[in-house]
Amino acid sequence: MKATIYHNPRCGTSRNALAILEEAGAVVTIVEYLKTPPSRETLARLYAKAGITPRQGLRVKEPAAAALAGAPDDAILDAMAADPILIERPIVKTEKGVVLARPADKVREVL
């Protein structure tokens, strides 16, 4: 199985999700999204496939997220594309679907 993980190596949840993928034998493409941010369009596609809104994919713990409290999805996507720290992680994509793997065990849904 092939998998892509939008990953932050400094995040424990992201590291745990990656470990689950590797233990399952997945061939994993790691995208360190802070170094190589996904485009706005890519984020919109991932969230649509995961069945979540951009607001649900927003890392609300970040101070910059407060300014997006009443913002529409388009503004949230624009903000994430401009400042990828606002993207909640990890996002995992396989041929079975896409999940925001919080908690990390949620990655098993697409294995």
Side-chain angles (χ1 to χ4, degrees), residues 54-69:
R55 179 163 306 284
Q56 292 170 307
L58 179 65
R59 185 161 176 77
V60 296
K61 293 179 181 179
E62 291 301 322
L68 299 168

Side-chain angles (χ1 to χ4, degrees), residues 87-107:
I87 301 168
E88 186 65 273
R89 76 264 181 171
I91 301 169
V92 177
K93 176 184 173 188
T94 71
E95 56 261 15
K96 292 186 178 181
V98 176
V99 293
L100 176 57
R102 294 195 78 78
D105 279 341
K106 200 163 164 82
V107 75

Side-chain angles (χ1 to χ4, degrees), residues 21-80:
L21 288 168
E22 290 172 340
E23 287 168 12
V27 176
V28 184
T29 300
I30 300 170
V31 178
E32 288 190 36
Y33 69 92
L34 294 175
K35 293 179 181 177
T36 309
S39 69
R40 180 191 190 287
E41 294 75 22
T42 297
L43 284 170
R45 244 188 336 271
L46 288 168
Y47 294 144
K49 287 183 180 180
I52 64 174
T53 65
R55 179 163 306 284
Q56 292 170 307
L58 179 65
R59 185 161 176 77
V60 296
K61 293 179 181 179
E62 291 301 322
L68 299 168
D73 286 348
D74 284 339
I76 293 171
L77 287 169
D78 290 340
M80 289 174 170

